[in-house]
Amino acid sequence: MDVQEAILGRRSIHEFKKGQVPSSDLKQIFERASWAPTHRMKQPWMMKVYQGGAIDSYASHVLNSYDRQGFFSGYDADRGGKMREGIKKFLINIPHHVLVYMERDVDQMKYEEDYAAVCAFIQNAQLLAWEQGIGMLWTTSPYLHDAQFAVDVGLNERDYKLVSVLQVGYPSRIPKPKQRAQIEESITFYE
Ligand SMILES: Cc1cc2nc3c(=O)[nH]c(=O)nc-3n(C[C@H](O)[C@H](O)[C@H](O)COP(=O)(O)O)c2cc1C
């Protein structure tokens, strides 16, 4: 698969087959993704990978965060409980949850450089995974901004920016492409 094929063909994957991607394959993807551009060679990306039995407590941290944010507050206990169970089952069925985070540089400019580098790293990983038939969903959910969630996963918001959780596995369904706007709407040439 060439670069153009990977970029145009990759889709965000929402439904995964059962079964884990071997850790060695994930490691290789992230090793190669780390050739992303990174100013000052800071390589700011860090990851926690939840898989197998570890997803249960990870999913509880997510649900507790939803709770704190009032996600279930409009429902009676029975309905709220069923919703919780449904979300937990959904999360447990995703083979890998990769929390991508970085240290927060106190210098705003350096923070932005680091965040940009981590995003480049994530897209590299998505493309490398796609080439191997592995799907990813780049997610940014409110729990990434929940200080207690950060504590629950062993981080603290003051020192670390939680960038994304990548949901990873072999795709069971590949969505249709969402067409992009004409690039002319976003570009101006000056001569
Ligand atoms: C920073 C960022 C955050 C995203 N967060 C979510 C998310 O929380 N949930 C989700 O379903 N998709 C999320 N996406 C994926 C986009 O929805 C997806 O890329 C877009 O719909 C285009 O689909 P495609 O990637 O299949 O081309 C995110 C993408 C980016 C770049």
Side-chain angles (χ1 to χ4, degrees):
M1 188 181 290
D2 65 23
V3 177
Q4 181 171 295
E5 261 181 290
I7 291 173
L8 300 186
R10 180 208 58 82
R11 296 279 65 84
S12 293
I13 298 303
H14 298 261
E15 294 168 43
F16 299 96
K17 291 180 184 159
K18 283 198 191 316
Q20 290 183 15
V21 177
S23 296
S24 54
D25 290 3
L26 287 180
K27 196 176 150 225
Q28 188 188 62
I29 286 166
F30 292 123
E31 204 162 54
R32 292 176 177 171
S34 72
W35 286 84
T38 167
H39 199 24
R40 306 168 212 278
M41 288 307 293
K42 279 181 76 180
Q43 303 168 71
W45 39 80
M46 288 192 274
M47 278 158 285
K48 291 176 185 277
V49 181
Y50 300 95
Q51 54 191 27
I55 296 180
D56 197 77
S57 64
Y58 166 77
S60 297
H61 298 327
V62 170
L63 285 162
N64 292 342
S65 178
Y66 283 158
D67 246 342
R68 280 189 294 278
Q69 294 176 48
F71 190 82
F72 304 111
S73 60
Y75 304 94
D76 63 39
D78 185 47
R79 178 90 184 103
K82 285 193 176 126
M83 285 170 75
R84 272 186 79 102
E85 278 313 303
I87 296 171
K88 186 149 191 177
K89 198 169 160 210
F90 169 77
L91 292 173
I92 284 173
N93 280 331
I94 296 166
H96 311 266
H97 299 258
V98 182
L99 171 62
V100 186
Y101 63 102
M102 64 183 215
E103 269 183 44
R104 280 183 197 276
D105 200 304
V106 289
D107 179 314
Q108 177 67 16
M109 196 175 78
K110 290 181 184 159
Y111 171 86
E112 287 178 12
E113 289 167 1
D114 291 344
Y115 186 76
V118 173
C119 290
F121 169 84
I122 292 173
Q123 181 61 358
N124 270 0
Q126 292 210 104
L127 295 173
L128 288 158
W130 191 255
E131 188 186 31
Q132 294 187 36
I134 299 163
M136 291 195 179
L137 181 67
W138 181 338
T139 70
T140 47
S141 296
Y143 51 82
L144 295 175
H145 298 273
D146 172 12
Q148 184 58 45
F149 177 81
V151 170
D152 290 345
V153 296
L155 300 171
N156 70 70
E157 254 204 334
R158 197 190 63 246
D159 297 329
Y160 295 99
K161 161 77 177 162
L162 281 59
V163 177
S164 171
V165 172
L166 306 176
Q167 300 177 351
V168 183
Y170 297 108
S172 65
R173 191 181 67 82
I174 297 176
K176 289 203 178 77
K178 294 179 188 164
Q179 282 314 313
R180 271 33 178 190
Q182 295 292 316
I183 200 66
E184 286 79 5
E185 293 171 18
S186 312
I187 188 167
T188 310
F189 287 96
Y190 299 92
E191 297 194 32

